[in-house]
Amino acid sequence: MNLKQIPLALALTLAIAAMAGCAQDSTPAASAADAGAIEQVAHAEDDAHDAAHDADHAHAAAAALGVDFPVPDNHEPWAPDAPLIEGMSRVRTAVAGLEARPDEATVIARAADVDDAVEYMFANCSLPTEPDIALHAILARLMAGTQALQENPADAAPVADMHAALENYRTLFDDPNS
């Protein structure tokens, strides 16, 4: 699945409702709800491709910029797994490469680096449900930033929100590299 083509609203819906990607419940038998969620994900991939051509998805992505995942009261930061630590390190490096207002080609390349790191995390992370939901929201926010940068590389505004998403991650997760 090409993450660049998923509208943010769909990504958040998948993250929260279906929890597809990183965390997978280790129960041996899937419930009827799990089967329904799997079917929704399969249909969502087809819908995502169609939605990529819909101009309204850009508005949904823009609306999600600036939205932190809420930090629960008395939150003890969650432990990230090794793929999450690796992926978020790659994201931080790519976002740092956007700070000095680079040329458009570099902006596109660093945005692609973030998207690659996000795809890596979706494919390799394995977290309990609650931190997984929070991570998906953060990753969706980062994807909204990369989408905005790809659509308008001259506009550096999404970089500030990507930094804010990384700060939200730092508050929620006990990542030794943060």
Side-chain angles (χ1 to χ4, degrees), residues 26-103:
S26 59
T27 56
S31 68
D34 290 340
I38 292 169
E39 185 175 334
Q40 286 176 340
V41 170
H43 291 308
E45 287 183 12
D46 294 334
D47 293 342
H49 178 71
D50 295 337
H53 300 290
D54 183 359
D56 291 337
H57 80 286
H59 297 292
L65 293 173
V67 179
D68 279 345
F69 187 86
V71 179
D73 291 337
N74 302 318
H75 176 66
E76 292 292 326
W78 297 304
D81 61 5
L84 178 53
I85 293 169
E86 165 68 22
M88 290 307 285
S89 291
R90 290 169 48 189
V91 168
R92 283 189 294 275
T93 299
V95 171
L98 295 167
E99 292 171 359
R101 292 196 168 251
D103 61 83

Side-chain angles (χ1 to χ4, degrees), residues 61-62 65-66 95 98 101 107 111 141-165:
L65 293 173
V95 171
L98 295 167
R101 292 196 168 251
V107 170
R141 188 173 175 189
L142 290 167
M143 290 170 17
T146 62
Q147 179 180 353
L149 289 171
Q150 291 165 349
E151 290 173 1
N152 185 1
D155 181 10
V159 177
D161 190 63
M162 293 170 79
H163 277 291

Side-chain angles (χ1 to χ4, degrees), residues 89-130:
S89 291
R90 290 169 48 189
V91 168
R92 283 189 294 275
T93 299
V95 171
L98 295 167
E99 292 171 359
R101 292 196 168 251
D103 61 83
E104 289 188 8
T106 301
V107 170
I108 298 293
R110 295 301 74 81
D113 291 344
V114 171
D115 286 337
D116 289 345
V118 168
E119 287 183 40
Y120 170 80
M121 288 181 275
F122 277 133
N124 295 290
C125 289
S126 179
L127 299 172
T129 301
E130 189 176 6

